Amino acid sequence: MGNFLASIISPFEEILKFMITILHGGFSNYGVIIILLTIIIKMLLLPLTLKQDKSMRAMKKIQPEMDSVREKYKDNPQEMNKAVMELYQKHNVNPFGGCLPVLLQLPILWALFNVIKNPVIIPKDAHFLIFSLQAKDSLYILPVLNALIAFLQQKIMNIGGKSNPQMEMMTYIFPVMMFAISFSMPAGLQIYWITSSAISVLQQYLINKWATIKEEKIGKSI
């Protein structure tokens, strides 16, 4: 299992090392390099992010029909699954269409962790502002920022959606999870995560804005 994971992460490590080397030719501060690297990664993943958003919106659109199907066949799981699959086919919806960006983030995160901890790539004395990139933030400024951005991200994702107690609960649970996960991470990795999340918030805001304008135009044309 370990060799399998290493074989997946290793190509990402090599790509990240190459990108850091290229960026270091123009920038001396490794914190700035990590931020620029994050922006490049988010730009490369943007088509998948748009596909993910499209899939999520399609799922929300058919949610009332899904609820009806589940209520109708609640005592017959086999028929329920069949009806749900037919509903997906009818509306040309892929329930797993939004998973790829999330799955891609994991090997990138693991690879970046290995790269940041490698003193050959990023020196042990590398700093960004008051943070040592290879050490955890003992002041907990970065974990708190991570949690706050996670909260904002959840809020933006829920805008315009149907009230859902589980989603509302996640709005508060997810930031706590982010703090708990990130507080022991090297500051360099936290800077990547904060930058990535901040860009995601901006992207989602612009996507929501664009979708609202598009819906208003369609409404006026009907």
Side-chain angles (χ1 to χ4, degrees):
M1 187 65 177
N3 290 335
F4 175 72
L5 288 174
S7 66
I8 294 174
I9 296 169
S10 181
F12 287 98
E13 281 187 42
E14 294 304 315
I15 292 169
L16 291 173
K17 287 177 187 176
F18 174 75
M19 292 172 74
I20 288 172
T21 303
I22 295 295
L23 289 170
H24 192 247
F27 303 91
S28 58
N29 187 285
Y30 282 97
V32 173
I33 289 171
I34 290 172
I35 291 171
L36 292 173
L37 182 66
T38 310
I39 293 170
I40 293 169
I41 290 170
K42 294 298 287 186
M43 286 175 64
L44 293 174
L45 292 178
L46 182 57
L48 294 177
T49 300
L50 294 173
K51 185 176 180 181
Q52 179 187 35
D53 182 78
K54 184 179 179 181
S55 177
M56 288 174 64
R57 288 180 186 278
M59 289 293 289
K60 283 182 180 179
K61 194 173 181 180
I62 66 170
Q63 192 61 49
E65 290 183 70
M66 291 277 288
D67 292 341
S68 297
V69 166
R70 289 194 174 106
E71 180 63 28
K72 183 178 180 180
Y73 298 106
K74 61 183 178 181
D75 297 323
N76 191 336
Q78 189 173 353
E79 283 298 318
M80 182 195 295
N81 292 334
K82 182 181 176 182
V84 166
M85 291 306 297
E86 288 174 353
L87 191 60
Y88 288 149
Q89 291 174 359
K90 176 185 173 183
H91 294 280
N92 195 26
V93 172
N94 181 0
F96 306 107
C99 296
L100 192 55
V102 177
L103 293 175
L104 268 177
Q105 285 281 1
L106 293 177
I108 291 172
L109 199 63
W110 287 327
L112 191 60
F113 180 84
N114 291 340
V115 169
I116 287 172
K117 295 298 287 183
N118 186 344
V120 176
I121 306 299
I122 297 181
K124 287 185 177 181
D125 60 351
H127 279 69
F128 177 69
L129 301 177
I130 62 172
F131 308 108
S132 173
L133 296 180
Q134 288 208 23
K136 74 174 188 177
D137 174 16
S138 58
L139 299 175
Y140 302 110
I141 296 170
L142 297 177
V144 169
L145 276 175
N146 246 322
L148 289 173
I149 293 174
F151 176 77
L152 183 59
Q153 193 173 5
Q154 288 295 116
K155 279 289 187 183
I156 289 178
M157 285 176 63
N158 292 340
I159 289 175
K162 184 181 176 182
S163 179
N164 186 324
Q166 290 180 332
M167 290 299 290
E168 284 294 323
M169 191 180 297
M170 280 303 297
T171 301
Y172 300 98
I173 292 176
F174 187 63
V176 174
M177 288 172 56
M178 288 299 296
F179 179 87
I181 292 169
S182 67
F183 88 96
S184 61
M185 285 181 176
L189 195 60
Q190 292 193 59
I191 289 168
Y192 164 79
W193 209 328
I194 288 169
T195 306
S196 179
S197 298
I199 294 171
S200 293
V201 168
L202 178 60
Q203 284 179 341
Q204 194 60 51
Y205 173 79
L206 294 174
I207 289 169
N208 288 351
K209 202 78 173 173
W210 176 80
T212 302
I213 294 171
K214 186 178 179 181
E215 287 171 4
E216 286 176 353
K217 286 183 178 180
I218 292 172
K220 288 178 181 178
S221 64
I222 295 175

